[in-house]
Amino acid sequence: MIEESPPVRIAALIVAAGSGTRAGGDIPKQYATLGGLSILQRSIDAFVAYGSICEIRTVIQAEAQGLYTASLSGEPAVLGPPVTGGASRQASVRAGLEALASSSPDIVLIHDAARPFVSGGVIRRVVEALEAYPGVIPALPVADTLKRAHSDGTIGATVPREGLWRAQTPQGFRFSAILDAHRRAAEAGRDDFTDDAAIAEWAGLQVALVEGETQNVKITTAADIEEARNRLEAGMILEPRIGTGFDVHRFAEGSSVWLCGVQIPHTHRLEGHSDADVALHALTDALLGTIGDGDIGQHFPPTDPKWKGAASHLFLADAARRVRERGGRIGNVDVTILAEEPRIGPHRPAMQARMAEILAIPLDRVGVKATTMEGLGAIGRREGIVAMASALVLFPVHATEGT
Ligand code: MG
């Protein structure tokens, strides 16, 4: 009998404890916004998008708790509470590693929050090389000729660039080995290491290089932020994805129906386990369709008493959260209601506003339409209401994804 080896458990430690003074501005650079998302959020999203990370922890300054909370627009399930950092980068990373010690992952990927453009390809190369080495970092060969200057600004020497590499993150390590190296460095009174590979080297661990990417820049200065903004707006490759949804609920005895998150007085109610908002159910399925993430019944089973009588805006908001966790930006949604009654027209503005509110998108990206069935079929016989929905979501494409 062949025994499968247990899956490798990978944790990511995102170091956001810097004060970022070089970038200027009022707040540390990792909390600055790029294209609607904070730099920190983008770094977290990159690891969520990679897909097989079991735990993500961030390290922040104690006084930055408010900034931290405000900078997160989506909190994925794998994201644990932030860890309070120390006086140096090294101390901050060590605090993060100690926080991960209780869950004891096999591998830890230590990443600078200020590198928000890390691709799935870079993360994958680091993870794969960790099968052969206890430490792996992505790096780029130095392309420019290097000069050592005198203090007066004149050249003292030309430094051979052969064999020189620029280190990037995430730097990946077997967890127990890097935790041990950090503890030993602290015991030895060393606090001058500028990256984790240097600590691993000091501790005698073999650290391998894999190919980094030029786009995996560290955002350090205000000019870096500006350049990143320009690049995001001008050069972002977005992949549009479409999802559709359909739902039907039958009428039962009652006095109002829920449609598009709005309660409408009526001669009947719609029958269902939740509030039976047929339109929000169809739209929830449409959003889930853009990420291939099952359907509403899978995430909120009607067999679960927890969802009895539930307000359906919870389902829709959850689908939007799932889409955003994968980096998706909702382009537009469109709902068509098939009903002989009640009349939809008078309620359309409220429905549109309510769905825009739940999805946190502008009004003109929300369509609400209705038609009767001209008396034909079950809907025409006033036995229930049907809703159809579609959603278009834009997802960023990383240049090296899948390579
Ligand atoms: Mg339903």
Side-chain angles (χ1 to χ4, degrees), residues 229-392:
R229 276 200 184 115
N230 291 341
R231 185 150 58 95
L232 268 180
E233 283 165 14
M236 189 186 261
I237 304 167
L238 294 173
E239 173 194 23
R241 299 196 204 167
I242 290 171
T244 64
F246 178 95
D247 198 20
V248 56
H249 282 258
R250 62 171 73 238
F251 282 127
E253 261 181 52
S255 58
S256 69
V257 296
W258 282 93
L259 284 172
C260 299
V262 175
Q263 192 171 23
I264 299 170
H266 189 51
T267 54
H268 294 78
R269 66 179 171 91
L270 287 173
E271 194 172 57
H273 188 69
S274 64
D275 65 10
D277 190 327
V278 63
L280 291 193
H281 293 183
L283 185 51
T284 300
D285 274 354
L287 280 177
L288 291 173
T290 67
I291 51 172
D293 191 7
D295 62 18
I296 191 171
Q298 180 188 325
H299 297 294
F300 304 98
T303 48
D304 187 339
K306 188 161 75 172
W307 306 118
K308 184 162 172 52
S312 295
H313 66 84
L314 298 174
F315 308 152
L316 182 59
D318 183 75
R321 177 187 62 80
R322 288 170 186 273
V323 161
R324 291 196 170 110
E325 274 179 20
R326 287 167 171 78
R329 182 154 61 81
I330 298 170
N332 74 301
V333 299
D334 195 15
V335 175
T336 300
I337 297 166
L338 280 58
E340 300 299 309
E341 55 186 24
R343 281 190 60 221
I344 303 302
H347 305 284
R348 190 199 312 264
M351 292 173 162
Q352 190 184 17
R354 181 65 183 127
M355 289 196 290
E357 180 186 25
I358 297 165
L359 295 171
I361 59 176
L363 269 186
D364 70 350
R365 293 174 182 264
V366 179
V368 180
K369 295 151 3 273
T371 181
T372 71
M373 289 292 284
E374 301 282 341
L376 297 170
I379 301 302
R381 291 191 299 270
R382 295 167 160 77
E383 291 172 13
I385 295 181
V386 158
M388 301 187 300
S390 55
L392 184 139

Side-chain angles (χ1 to χ4, degrees), residues 185-249:
E187 274 166 27
R190 293 286 305 268
D191 63 353
D192 53 331
F193 294 107
T194 54
D195 75 349
D196 301 289
I199 295 170
E201 294 154 34
W202 173 84
L205 297 174
Q206 199 177 17
V207 183
L209 300 174
V210 294
E211 193 189 342
E213 277 174 356
T214 50
Q215 70 167 28
N216 186 20
V217 290
K218 185 171 184 177
I219 295 177
T220 307
T221 65
D224 293 339
I225 292 182
E226 194 54 39
E227 190 180 314
R229 276 200 184 115
N230 291 341
R231 185 150 58 95
L232 268 180
E233 283 165 14
M236 189 186 261
I237 304 167
L238 294 173
E239 173 194 23
R241 299 196 204 167
I242 290 171
T244 64
F246 178 95
D247 198 20
V248 56
H249 282 258

Side-chain angles (χ1 to χ4, degrees), residues 57 147 169 382:
R57 299 296 290 266
K147 305 293 184 187
T169 70
R382 295 167 160 77

Side-chain angles (χ1 to χ4, degrees), residues 134-150:
V136 178
I137 71 165
L140 288 175
V142 172
D144 298 324
T145 298
L146 296 177
K147 305 293 184 187
R148 179 168 286 126
H150 294 302

